[in-house]
Amino acid sequence: MDFKGRSMHTAWQKSKGDFVEVRTKKPKWNPRMEAWTMDFKGRAKLASKKNFILTDPDDEDERVLMLFGKMTKNRWSLDYAPPLNPIECLFVAVTAFSSKMAVT
């Protein structure tokens, strides 16, 4: 679905009842830093295993649908775009604080 140029309300009405598929953006190896990195466009200042970016898998440019990143010790940034809404994104972000068995 393409929601470019539409308001969030219009996007929500269009996607109501539909499932939205999102994909976690994969980090890229940075040989200079010798670490896996992701570009959070300044919206995550601190490294954290809880930082993530969700993208639209149908978009060739990997349009960001949700970004969650650590800004300070006790402050986080949550950005989202249609067709996701604030409540859905808040629920997804809260799951980042649950215990992660696969991440050490």
Side-chain angles (χ1 to χ4, degrees):
M1 290 186 253
D2 183 19
F3 296 103
K4 294 177 184 173
R6 298 183 192 173
S7 71
M8 182 176 291
H9 179 70
T10 305
W12 172 245
Q13 285 180 327
K14 175 132 174 100
S15 65
K16 203 180 218 180
D18 294 341
F19 287 98
V20 177
E21 181 181 341
V22 295
R23 197 162 284 148
T24 304
K25 187 171 185 174
K26 303 293 183 202
K28 294 182 177 155
W29 180 254
N30 184 326
R32 186 177 57 82
M33 295 177 68
E34 295 186 1
W36 293 97
T37 61
M38 290 175 56
D39 184 10
F40 282 85
K41 310 282 188 219
R43 301 295 292 160
K45 304 285 186 192
L46 300 176
S48 173
K49 65 183 178 183
K50 295 175 176 75
N51 293 351
F52 63 87
I53 297 174
L54 299 179
T55 62
D56 182 349
D58 297 328
D59 191 331
E60 293 176 7
D61 298 327
E62 289 189 320
R63 183 172 70 101
V64 174
L65 296 178
M66 182 178 165
L67 180 149
F68 187 66
K70 190 169 188 174
M71 297 295 287
T72 65
K73 181 180 178 186
N74 296 312
R75 198 168 174 201
W76 295 81
S77 172
L78 174 61
D79 299 338
Y80 63 93
L84 301 178
N85 67 51
I87 298 298
E88 292 169 332
C89 292
L90 179 62
F91 291 156
V92 172
V94 168
T95 65
F97 292 97
S98 64
S99 61
K100 296 196 176 206
M101 296 174 63
V103 179
T104 58

XYZ file of all heavy atoms in Angstrom:
847
model
N 0.834 -1.179 0.000
C 0.000 0.000 0.000
C 0.876 1.239 0.000
O 1.869 1.286 0.696
C -0.868 0.012 1.246
C -1.938 -1.033 1.234
S -2.999 -0.843 2.640
C -2.456 -2.226 3.592
N 0.478 2.250 -0.730
C 1.232 3.490 -0.820
C 0.445 4.604 -0.144
O -0.655 4.931 -0.561
C 1.482 3.818 -2.291
C 2.316 5.061 -2.457
O 2.982 5.459 -1.479
O 2.296 5.625 -3.554
N 1.028 5.182 0.910
C 0.349 6.240 1.653
C 1.052 7.582 1.504
O 0.793 8.501 2.252
C 0.270 5.873 3.137
C -0.561 4.667 3.377
C 0.038 3.455 3.632
C -1.942 4.732 3.340
C -0.718 2.320 3.852
C -2.697 3.601 3.563
C -2.091 2.395 3.811
N 1.941 7.710 0.548
C 2.682 8.952 0.370
C 1.725 10.084 0.023
O 0.859 9.951 -0.824
C 3.741 8.794 -0.713
C 4.814 7.804 -0.309
C 5.813 7.593 -1.417
C 6.802 6.517 -0.991
N 7.687 6.131 -2.045
N 1.907 11.219 0.691
C 1.091 12.382 0.407
C -0.291 12.359 1.036
O -1.103 13.221 0.766
N -0.585 11.386 1.860
C -1.893 11.309 2.513
C -1.741 11.560 4.004
O -0.687 11.364 4.568
C -2.515 9.931 2.321
C -2.785 9.583 0.883
C -3.456 8.263 0.817
N -3.483 7.783 -0.550
C -3.893 6.591 -0.881
N -4.292 5.745 0.026
N -3.906 6.211 -2.141
N -2.811 11.979 4.636
C -2.769 12.175 6.078
C -2.810 10.819 6.776
O -3.194 9.812 6.196
C -3.968 13.007 6.532
O -5.159 12.241 6.419
N -2.403 10.812 8.047
C -2.425 9.561 8.794
C -3.855 9.036 8.924
O -4.094 7.843 8.840
C -1.822 9.740 10.182
C -1.796 8.449 10.957
S -1.000 8.583 12.529
C 0.658 8.829 12.022
N -4.824 9.929 9.102
C -6.217 9.498 9.227
C -6.668 8.762 7.962
O -7.290 7.702 8.038
C -7.120 10.703 9.498
C -8.558 10.339 9.608
N -9.058 9.626 10.676
C -9.605 10.575 8.788
C -10.355 9.429 10.501
N -10.710 9.996 9.364
N -6.333 9.313 6.802
C -6.685 8.667 5.537
C -5.994 7.309 5.424
O -6.595 6.330 5.002
C -6.279 9.555 4.350
O -6.883 10.826 4.514
C -6.709 8.948 3.034
N -4.730 7.259 5.810
C -3.979 6.005 5.743
C -4.600 4.968 6.675
O -4.725 3.802 6.322
C -2.518 6.247 6.119
N -5.017 5.400 7.861
C -5.610 4.466 8.823
C -6.928 3.914 8.287
O -7.197 2.729 8.370
C -5.821 5.147 10.160
C -6.589 4.316 11.138
C -7.811 4.572 11.647
C -6.190 3.062 11.716
N -8.207 3.578 12.496
C -7.231 2.643 12.559
C -5.071 2.270 11.596
C -7.167 1.456 13.279
C -5.017 1.083 12.319
C -6.054 0.705 13.150
N -7.754 4.765 7.709
C -9.016 4.306 7.158
C -8.779 3.286 6.040
O -9.482 2.302 5.934
C -9.819 5.485 6.605
C -10.451 6.327 7.675
C -11.225 7.475 7.083
O -10.868 8.024 6.048
N -12.297 7.849 7.746
N -7.768 3.535 5.216
C -7.492 2.644 4.099
C -7.006 1.283 4.584
O -7.346 0.259 4.030
C -6.450 3.273 3.169
C -6.005 2.379 2.061
C -6.028 3.099 0.750
C -5.440 2.253 -0.343
N -6.398 1.608 -1.146
N -6.183 1.277 5.642
C -5.582 0.025 6.084
C -6.378 -0.660 7.195
O -5.990 -1.716 7.650
C -4.152 0.277 6.583
O -4.181 1.087 7.733
N -7.462 -0.090 7.626
C -8.263 -0.663 8.707
C -8.654 -2.099 8.370
O -9.185 -2.369 7.311
C -9.519 0.175 8.891
C -10.140 0.073 10.242
C -11.358 0.952 10.254
C -11.513 1.630 11.571
N -12.671 2.478 11.601
N -8.336 -2.996 9.275
C -8.686 -4.393 9.062
C -7.636 -5.168 8.277
O -7.676 -6.382 8.230
N -6.703 -4.489 7.649
C -5.644 -5.165 6.906
C -4.455 -5.421 7.825
O -4.228 -4.692 8.772
C -5.153 -4.311 5.733
C -6.213 -4.114 4.674
O -7.178 -4.898 4.647
O -6.072 -3.172 3.885
N -3.692 -6.453 7.500
C -2.455 -6.693 8.207
C -1.366 -5.884 7.528
O -1.335 -5.764 6.309
C -2.084 -8.179 8.182
C -2.950 -9.004 9.083
C -4.035 -9.693 8.573
C -2.678 -9.084 10.435
C -4.841 -10.451 9.395
C -3.479 -9.838 11.270
C -4.566 -10.526 10.747
N -0.469 -5.350 8.314
C 0.656 -4.595 7.784
C 1.911 -5.410 8.033
O 2.234 -5.739 9.172
C 0.784 -3.219 8.476
C 2.012 -2.480 7.971
C -0.476 -2.405 8.265
N 2.607 -5.767 6.967
C 3.851 -6.512 7.104
C 5.000 -5.530 7.233
O 5.124 -4.601 6.447
C 4.079 -7.410 5.884
C 5.339 -8.227 5.997
C 5.587 -9.104 4.786
O 4.630 -9.362 4.027
O 6.726 -9.515 4.605
N 5.812 -5.731 8.251
C 7.010 -4.915 8.452
C 8.202 -5.841 8.584
O 8.055 -7.029 8.881
C 6.895 -4.010 9.699
C 5.801 -2.990 9.533
C 6.685 -4.820 10.948
N 9.370 -5.295 8.341
C 10.587 -6.086 8.422
C 11.632 -5.303 9.202
O 11.760 -4.093 9.037
C 11.092 -6.380 7.018
C 12.082 -7.518 6.985
C 12.237 -8.089 5.600
N 11.080 -8.925 5.290
C 10.569 -9.074 4.082
N 11.095 -8.447 3.063
N 9.539 -9.846 3.874
N 12.387 -5.984 10.054
C 13.465 -5.343 10.794
C 14.616 -5.045 9.851
O 15.070 -5.932 9.124
C 13.963 -6.261 11.938
O 12.868 -6.599 12.768
C 15.037 -5.575 12.745
N 15.054 -3.798 9.856
C 16.191 -3.424 9.018
C 17.450 -4.066 9.596
O 17.684 -4.041 10.802
C 16.346 -1.905 8.975
C 17.389 -1.443 8.011
C 17.357 0.059 7.838
C 18.347 0.465 6.772
N 18.236 1.886 6.477
N 18.249 -4.648 8.735
C 19.456 -5.339 9.169
C 20.616 -4.343 9.281
O 20.776 -3.470 8.430
C 19.838 -6.442 8.171
C 18.739 -7.464 7.951
C 18.498 -8.266 9.191
C 17.446 -9.326 8.926
N 16.793 -9.798 10.099
N 21.440 -4.484 10.314
C 22.610 -3.603 10.417
C 23.648 -3.956 9.355
O 23.650 -5.054 8.801
C 23.142 -3.901 11.819
C 22.631 -5.245 12.160
C 21.339 -5.416 11.418
N 24.512 -2.993 9.075
C 25.590 -3.202 8.105
C 26.931 -3.138 8.820
O 27.104 -2.357 9.757
C 25.521 -2.147 7.000
C 24.276 -2.296 6.174
C 24.212 -1.297 5.052
C 22.949 -1.586 4.255
N 22.438 -0.494 3.540
N 27.874 -3.949 8.358
C 29.198 -3.976 8.957
C 29.959 -2.709 8.569
O 30.027 -2.336 7.407
C 29.968 -5.213 8.503
C 31.332 -5.276 9.108
C 32.507 -5.030 8.481
C 31.645 -5.620 10.452
N 33.546 -5.195 9.361
C 33.048 -5.553 10.588
C 30.891 -5.955 11.566
C 33.709 -5.822 11.784
C 31.548 -6.231 12.751
C 32.922 -6.164 12.859
N 30.514 -2.031 9.571
C 31.321 -0.842 9.351
C 32.768 -1.206 9.643
O 33.140 -1.362 10.816
C 30.853 0.293 10.258
C 31.588 1.584 10.017
O 32.773 1.594 9.699
N 30.884 2.687 10.193
N 33.608 -1.378 8.606
C 34.990 -1.807 8.833
C 35.815 -0.776 9.604
O 36.717 -1.140 10.345
C 35.544 -2.015 7.423
C 34.618 -1.328 6.504
C 33.305 -1.203 7.188
N 35.484 0.505 9.449
C 36.225 1.548 10.175
C 35.993 1.430 11.682
O 36.910 1.553 12.473
C 35.797 2.930 9.678
C 36.599 4.075 10.261
C 36.186 5.425 9.674
N 34.778 5.738 9.843
C 34.242 6.250 10.956
N 34.988 6.491 12.001
N 32.956 6.507 11.007
N 34.744 1.171 12.062
C 34.409 1.030 13.484
C 34.561 -0.409 13.970
O 34.514 -0.658 15.172
C 32.972 1.497 13.729
C 32.766 2.969 13.472
S 31.043 3.463 13.701
C 30.849 3.271 15.453
N 34.670 -1.322 13.018
C 34.712 -2.755 13.314
C 33.509 -3.166 14.168
O 33.641 -3.804 15.210
C 36.025 -3.143 13.993
C 37.237 -2.950 13.100
C 38.514 -3.466 13.711
O 38.492 -4.000 14.847
O 39.545 -3.350 13.039
N 32.337 -2.777 13.676
C 31.095 -3.075 14.390
C 29.924 -3.046 13.412
O 30.009 -2.453 12.335
C 30.861 -2.045 15.488
N 28.822 -3.678 13.810
C 27.583 -3.610 13.047
C 26.917 -2.287 13.390
O 26.788 -1.936 14.563
C 26.677 -4.778 13.407
C 27.218 -6.095 12.976
C 27.910 -6.989 13.735
C 27.132 -6.658 11.666
N 28.254 -8.077 12.978
C 27.797 -7.907 11.705
C 26.570 -6.233 10.467
C 27.897 -8.722 10.594
C 26.678 -7.053 9.367
C 27.323 -8.279 9.431
N 26.473 -1.542 12.368
C 25.872 -0.231 12.603
C 24.585 -0.059 11.805
O 24.358 -0.743 10.815
C 26.844 0.904 12.208
O 27.131 0.798 10.817
C 28.129 0.841 13.008
N 23.772 0.890 12.276
C 22.545 1.280 11.578
C 22.434 2.793 11.648
O 22.821 3.405 12.646
C 21.320 0.637 12.242
C 21.249 -0.849 12.028
S 19.912 -1.681 12.901
C 18.486 -0.847 12.355
N 21.883 3.408 10.610
C 21.716 4.854 10.577
C 20.347 5.215 11.137
O 19.322 4.957 10.509
C 21.862 5.367 9.145
C 21.783 6.878 9.060
O 21.800 7.543 10.116
O 21.709 7.392 7.928
N 20.342 5.837 12.311
C 19.103 6.250 12.954
C 18.796 7.727 12.704
O 17.930 8.297 13.339
C 19.159 5.974 14.464
C 18.930 4.534 14.814
C 19.978 3.630 14.806
C 17.673 4.070 15.130
C 19.776 2.294 15.117
C 17.453 2.742 15.447
C 18.510 1.851 15.434
N 19.525 8.341 11.775
C 19.293 9.735 11.387
C 19.275 10.673 12.596
O 18.469 11.587 12.690
C 17.973 9.885 10.621
C 17.791 8.922 9.485
C 18.568 9.343 8.278
C 18.196 8.453 7.103
N 19.292 8.101 6.280
N 20.136 10.407 13.573
C 20.236 11.249 14.752
C 19.177 10.992 15.803
O 19.123 11.672 16.818
N 18.315 10.017 15.582
C 17.220 9.738 16.521
C 17.582 8.696 17.575
O 16.770 8.389 18.442
C 15.976 9.292 15.761
C 15.466 10.311 14.766
C 14.967 11.580 15.424
N 13.756 11.284 16.172
C 13.273 12.041 17.139
N 13.882 13.127 17.507
N 12.160 11.712 17.752
N 18.796 8.160 17.531
C 19.307 7.271 18.577
C 20.756 7.677 18.818
O 21.584 7.588 17.920
C 19.221 5.818 18.157
N 21.045 8.162 20.006
C 22.389 8.651 20.324
C 23.254 7.590 20.991
O 24.469 7.656 20.934
C 22.298 9.876 21.253
C 21.456 11.004 20.709
C 22.166 11.743 19.620
C 21.354 12.967 19.209
N 21.813 13.564 18.003
N 22.618 6.623 21.646
C 23.359 5.600 22.377
C 23.106 4.217 21.783
O 22.001 3.914 21.354
C 22.943 5.591 23.857
C 23.159 6.888 24.635
C 22.613 6.752 26.043
C 24.634 7.246 24.674
N 24.135 3.405 21.797
C 23.981 2.025 21.329
C 23.165 1.238 22.356
O 23.323 1.416 23.557
C 25.357 1.385 21.155
N 22.279 0.393 21.847
C 21.469 -0.456 22.713
C 20.943 -1.629 21.904
O 20.606 -1.475 20.724
C 20.283 0.336 23.282
O 19.401 -0.518 23.983
N 20.847 -2.773 22.552
C 20.270 -3.932 21.857
C 18.774 -3.744 21.648
O 18.151 -4.479 20.895
C 20.570 -5.220 22.605
C 19.925 -5.330 23.968
C 20.338 -6.611 24.658
C 19.739 -6.728 26.035
N 20.192 -7.931 26.719
N 18.191 -2.738 22.289
C 16.763 -2.464 22.132
C 16.463 -1.537 20.950
O 15.315 -1.367 20.578
C 16.222 -1.873 23.426
C 16.266 -2.830 24.600
C 15.825 -2.143 25.877
C 15.768 -3.095 27.034
N 17.056 -3.446 27.563
N 17.463 -0.902 20.371
C 17.258 -0.030 19.207
C 16.841 -0.877 18.004
O 17.415 -1.938 17.769
C 18.553 0.705 18.840
C 18.986 1.709 19.880
O 18.261 2.020 20.819
N 20.183 2.235 19.718
N 15.852 -0.393 17.241
C 15.474 -1.110 16.021
C 14.773 -0.182 15.040
O 14.279 0.877 15.402
C 14.600 -2.332 16.323
C 13.262 -2.010 16.953
C 12.163 -1.716 16.168
C 13.114 -2.025 18.325
C 10.931 -1.428 16.739
C 11.888 -1.748 18.911
C 10.800 -1.444 18.117
N 14.765 -0.609 13.790
C 14.067 0.096 12.709
C 13.211 -0.932 11.975
O 13.700 -1.988 11.597
C 15.064 0.735 11.720
C 15.911 1.794 12.421
C 14.324 1.331 10.531
C 17.011 2.364 11.547
N 11.929 -0.610 11.784
C 11.032 -1.464 11.013
C 10.771 -0.780 9.678
O 10.485 0.419 9.632
C 9.712 -1.692 11.749
C 9.816 -2.384 13.103
C 8.431 -2.529 13.726
C 10.490 -3.726 12.991
N 10.872 -1.542 8.600
C 10.696 -0.988 7.255
C 9.574 -1.690 6.514
O 9.121 -2.761 6.903
C 11.996 -1.117 6.434
O 12.313 -2.500 6.287
C 13.148 -0.394 7.087
N 9.165 -1.068 5.418
C 8.157 -1.632 4.525
C 8.866 -2.576 3.554
O 9.670 -2.130 2.738
C 7.470 -0.505 3.765
C 6.368 -0.982 2.852
O 6.247 -2.204 2.627
O 5.613 -0.119 2.360
N 8.600 -3.887 3.619
C 9.303 -4.827 2.756
C 8.958 -4.687 1.275
O 9.709 -5.127 0.414
C 8.877 -6.196 3.275
C 7.585 -5.960 3.970
C 7.641 -4.554 4.489
N 7.839 -4.032 0.959
C 7.427 -3.854 -0.433
C 8.029 -2.606 -1.073
O 7.882 -2.393 -2.268
C 5.903 -3.788 -0.531
C 5.252 -5.087 -0.068
O 5.873 -6.154 -0.253
O 4.136 -5.025 0.474
N 8.684 -1.778 -0.273
C 9.267 -0.532 -0.772
C 10.739 -0.755 -1.112
O 11.514 -1.199 -0.274
C 9.136 0.555 0.295
C 9.469 1.934 -0.215
O 10.275 2.045 -1.144
O 8.910 2.905 0.328
N 11.127 -0.447 -2.356
C 12.513 -0.636 -2.791
C 13.484 0.220 -1.988
O 14.635 -0.153 -1.788
C 12.653 -0.310 -4.276
C 11.934 -1.277 -5.169
C 12.005 -0.868 -6.633
O 12.720 0.096 -6.956
O 11.333 -1.522 -7.442
N 13.030 1.386 -1.525
C 13.885 2.293 -0.756
C 13.883 1.987 0.732
O 14.460 2.735 1.515
C 13.438 3.742 -0.969
C 13.558 4.175 -2.419
O 14.482 3.690 -3.100
O 12.726 4.990 -2.854
N 13.245 0.888 1.134
C 13.123 0.496 2.544
C 12.595 1.657 3.388
O 13.220 2.108 4.342
C 14.459 0.012 3.105
C 14.911 -1.316 2.583
C 16.115 -1.834 3.341
O 17.020 -1.037 3.669
O 16.149 -3.035 3.606
N 11.426 2.146 3.038
C 10.801 3.248 3.779
C 10.635 2.864 5.241
O 10.126 1.795 5.576
C 9.434 3.575 3.171
C 8.737 4.748 3.819
C 7.496 5.126 3.045
N 6.451 4.145 3.162
C 5.400 4.268 3.977
N 5.278 5.314 4.740
N 4.476 3.334 4.008
N 11.077 3.732 6.129
C 11.007 3.477 7.564
C 9.575 3.681 8.047
O 8.993 4.748 7.861
C 11.975 4.401 8.344
C 11.799 4.230 9.844
C 13.412 4.118 7.941
N 9.011 2.634 8.663
C 7.668 2.718 9.230
C 7.712 2.976 10.731
O 6.810 3.577 11.291
C 6.888 1.434 8.953
C 6.604 1.128 7.489
C 5.863 -0.190 7.352
C 5.830 2.258 6.839
N 8.788 2.512 11.377
C 8.930 2.727 12.813
C 10.399 2.710 13.175
O 11.164 1.888 12.674
C 8.190 1.644 13.594
C 8.259 1.828 15.083
S 7.319 0.542 15.911
C 7.932 0.732 17.557
N 10.781 3.642 14.054
C 12.159 3.730 14.526
C 12.111 3.887 16.036
O 11.377 4.731 16.561
C 12.822 4.947 13.881
C 14.273 5.233 14.223
C 14.942 5.899 13.042
C 14.396 6.100 15.442
N 12.863 3.068 16.745
C 12.918 3.131 18.203
C 14.380 3.138 18.611
O 15.122 2.217 18.276
C 12.194 1.911 18.802
C 12.057 1.959 20.291
C 11.265 2.912 20.902
C 12.713 1.042 21.088
C 11.126 2.948 22.280
C 12.572 1.059 22.459
C 11.774 2.010 23.065
N 14.819 4.213 19.289
C 16.232 4.329 19.629
C 16.466 5.026 20.947
O 15.697 5.884 21.376
N 17.573 4.681 21.578
C 17.942 5.225 22.884
C 18.622 6.581 22.708
O 19.598 6.706 21.985
C 18.872 4.250 23.600
C 19.114 4.586 25.038
C 19.822 3.453 25.740
C 19.891 3.719 27.222
N 20.455 2.577 27.931
N 18.080 7.606 23.383
C 18.631 8.961 23.304
C 19.566 9.259 24.478
O 20.646 9.790 24.292
C 17.493 9.986 23.286
C 16.585 9.875 22.081
S 17.421 10.245 20.543
C 17.595 11.999 20.651
N 19.124 8.948 25.685
C 19.931 9.125 26.897
C 19.689 7.902 27.769
O 18.966 6.986 27.374
C 19.530 10.401 27.676
O 18.193 10.244 28.154
C 19.629 11.646 26.818
N 20.263 7.903 28.964
C 20.127 6.738 29.852
C 18.663 6.352 30.094
O 18.327 5.166 30.123
C 20.816 7.019 31.186
C 20.759 5.871 32.144
C 21.440 6.187 33.452
C 21.293 5.003 34.398
N 21.800 5.313 35.722
N 17.801 7.348 30.260
C 16.393 7.066 30.576
C 15.411 7.642 29.552
O 14.236 7.806 29.852
C 16.046 7.632 31.957
C 16.833 6.964 33.049
O 16.914 5.741 33.101
N 17.441 7.761 33.907
N 15.887 7.942 28.354
C 15.022 8.565 27.349
C 15.147 7.846 26.016
O 16.250 7.549 25.552
C 15.461 10.010 27.190
C 14.471 10.871 26.543
C 14.913 12.299 26.711
N 14.033 13.162 25.974
C 14.331 14.359 25.582
N 15.504 14.854 25.870
N 13.472 15.059 24.919
N 13.988 7.598 25.381
C 13.936 6.864 24.117
C 13.194 7.688 23.077
O 12.346 8.513 23.410
C 13.224 5.522 24.323
C 13.981 4.628 25.236
C 13.984 4.662 26.605
C 14.869 3.597 24.862
N 14.827 3.713 27.086
C 15.394 3.036 26.043
C 15.286 3.092 23.643
C 16.298 1.999 26.032
C 16.190 2.049 23.626
C 16.687 1.510 24.816
N 13.485 7.445 21.827
C 12.826 8.117 20.715
C 11.980 7.090 19.961
O 12.450 5.997 19.661
C 13.888 8.701 19.781
O 13.309 9.188 18.616
N 10.738 7.457 19.655
C 9.840 6.581 18.904
C 9.243 7.380 17.756
O 8.496 8.325 17.972
C 8.724 6.039 19.807
C 7.627 5.217 19.137
C 8.210 3.972 18.482
C 6.562 4.837 20.146
N 9.613 7.036 16.540
C 9.074 7.670 15.342
C 8.270 6.627 14.574
O 8.654 5.458 14.546
C 10.193 8.191 14.436
C 11.051 9.245 15.117
O 10.578 9.876 16.077
O 12.201 9.436 14.684
N 7.201 7.062 13.942
C 6.384 6.126 13.164
C 5.785 6.830 11.959
O 5.756 8.052 11.882
C 5.286 5.514 14.033
C 4.301 6.522 14.546
C 3.136 6.785 13.853
C 4.546 7.216 15.722
C 2.239 7.730 14.313
C 3.660 8.166 16.191
C 2.501 8.417 15.487
O 1.621 9.352 15.929
N 5.329 6.035 11.012
C 4.696 6.551 9.799
C 3.511 5.662 9.444
O 3.471 4.489 9.831
C 5.711 6.561 8.646
N 2.535 6.217 8.711
C 1.407 5.400 8.272
C 1.890 4.226 7.450
O 2.914 4.341 6.788
C 0.586 6.357 7.408
C 1.044 7.721 7.756
C 2.447 7.585 8.250
N 1.258 3.102 7.527
C -0.065 2.844 8.077
C -0.064 2.486 9.561
O -1.104 2.135 10.106
C -0.542 1.653 7.249
C 0.698 0.883 6.982
C 1.763 1.938 6.788
N 1.069 2.559 10.249
C 1.104 2.282 11.678
C 0.536 3.464 12.440
O 0.623 4.602 12.002
C 2.542 2.009 12.125
C 3.240 0.844 11.435
C 4.670 0.707 11.937
C 2.483 -0.455 11.645
N -0.069 3.191 13.608
C -0.612 4.267 14.422
C 0.122 4.308 15.764
O 0.859 3.387 16.099
C -2.135 4.133 14.575
C -2.540 2.918 15.389
O -2.046 2.691 16.479
N -3.464 2.137 14.857
N -0.059 5.361 16.556
C 0.696 5.521 17.795
C 0.532 4.370 18.788
O 1.513 3.947 19.405
C 0.160 6.819 18.394
C -0.495 7.544 17.285
C -0.920 6.516 16.286
N -0.657 3.852 18.927
C -0.893 2.768 19.889
C -0.164 1.505 19.463
O 0.496 0.847 20.276
C -2.412 2.492 20.056
C -3.117 3.725 20.609
C -2.648 1.284 20.937
C -2.662 4.178 21.979
N -0.256 1.149 18.185
C 0.452 -0.042 17.695
C 1.953 0.095 17.939
O 2.605 -0.840 18.404
C 0.209 -0.229 16.196
C -1.199 -0.603 15.838
C -1.457 -0.528 14.337
O -0.812 0.266 13.628
O -2.340 -1.282 13.885
N 2.489 1.262 17.647
C 3.931 1.472 17.798
C 4.345 1.454 19.265
O 5.405 0.931 19.607
C 4.339 2.776 17.146
S 4.165 2.695 15.351
N 3.514 2.013 20.138
C 3.813 1.966 21.569
C 3.868 0.522 22.058
O 4.785 0.135 22.782
C 2.771 2.759 22.360
C 2.967 2.752 23.874
C 4.290 3.404 24.246
C 1.807 3.453 24.551
N 2.916 -0.300 21.629
C 2.914 -1.714 22.027
C 4.154 -2.439 21.522
O 4.754 -3.233 22.235
C 1.650 -2.418 21.541
C 0.388 -1.983 22.239
C -0.838 -2.135 21.622
C 0.409 -1.408 23.492
C -2.014 -1.742 22.257
C -0.747 -1.013 24.136
C -1.961 -1.175 23.514
N 4.544 -2.164 20.287
C 5.752 -2.790 19.733
C 6.978 -2.332 20.519
O 7.848 -3.137 20.871
C 5.910 -2.468 18.233
C 7.250 -2.942 17.718
C 4.780 -3.099 17.430
N 7.068 -1.031 20.825
C 8.219 -0.498 21.562
C 8.322 -1.106 22.959
O 9.424 -1.425 23.417
C 8.122 1.023 21.648
N 7.188 -1.282 23.624
C 7.203 -1.870 24.963
C 7.768 -3.287 24.943
O 8.461 -3.703 25.878
C 5.774 -1.841 25.579
C 5.686 -2.699 26.822
C 5.385 -0.404 25.887
N 7.546 -4.009 23.865
C 8.087 -5.377 23.788
C 9.605 -5.379 23.761
O 10.222 -6.384 24.110
C 7.562 -6.140 22.549
O 8.046 -5.511 21.370
C 6.057 -6.211 22.544
N 10.230 -4.273 23.390
C 11.704 -4.194 23.377
C 12.256 -4.294 24.797
O 13.425 -4.643 24.989
C 12.166 -2.903 22.724
N 11.437 -3.998 25.797
C 11.885 -4.053 27.183
C 11.636 -5.398 27.852
O 12.054 -5.617 28.972
C 11.235 -2.943 27.992
C 11.715 -1.588 27.585
C 10.978 -0.817 26.699
C 12.922 -1.101 28.058
C 11.431 0.422 26.291
C 13.389 0.134 27.665
C 12.634 0.902 26.781
N 10.944 -6.298 27.167
C 10.757 -7.630 27.710
C 12.069 -8.397 27.582
O 12.944 -8.030 26.808
C 9.629 -8.374 26.983
O 9.971 -8.580 25.648
N 12.219 -9.440 28.363
C 13.486 -10.183 28.318
C 13.654 -10.828 26.937
O 12.708 -11.364 26.369
C 13.515 -11.251 29.397
O 12.480 -12.181 29.198
N 14.850 -10.703 26.416
C 15.148 -11.240 25.092
C 16.065 -12.432 25.270
O 17.239 -12.275 25.589
C 15.789 -10.173 24.218
C 14.850 -9.015 23.952
C 15.326 -8.185 22.818
C 14.285 -7.111 22.544
N 14.298 -6.641 21.223
N 15.524 -13.597 25.023
C 16.290 -14.818 25.238
C 17.404 -14.984 24.203
O 18.456 -15.507 24.508
C 15.354 -16.018 25.203
C 14.333 -15.988 26.327
S 13.110 -17.295 26.199
C 14.125 -18.738 26.355
N 17.194 -14.524 22.961
C 18.160 -14.758 21.896
C 19.264 -13.698 21.843
O 20.235 -13.863 21.141
C 17.459 -14.825 20.553
N 19.098 -12.623 22.586
C 20.085 -11.542 22.556
C 20.856 -11.547 23.849
O 20.282 -11.582 24.935
C 19.373 -10.168 22.374
C 20.389 -9.048 22.372
C 18.559 -10.168 21.106
N 22.173 -11.501 23.746
C 22.983 -11.488 24.969
C 23.552 -10.136 25.241
O 23.598 -9.283 24.420
C 24.135 -12.495 24.854
O 24.922 -12.158 23.716
C 23.610 -13.904 24.739
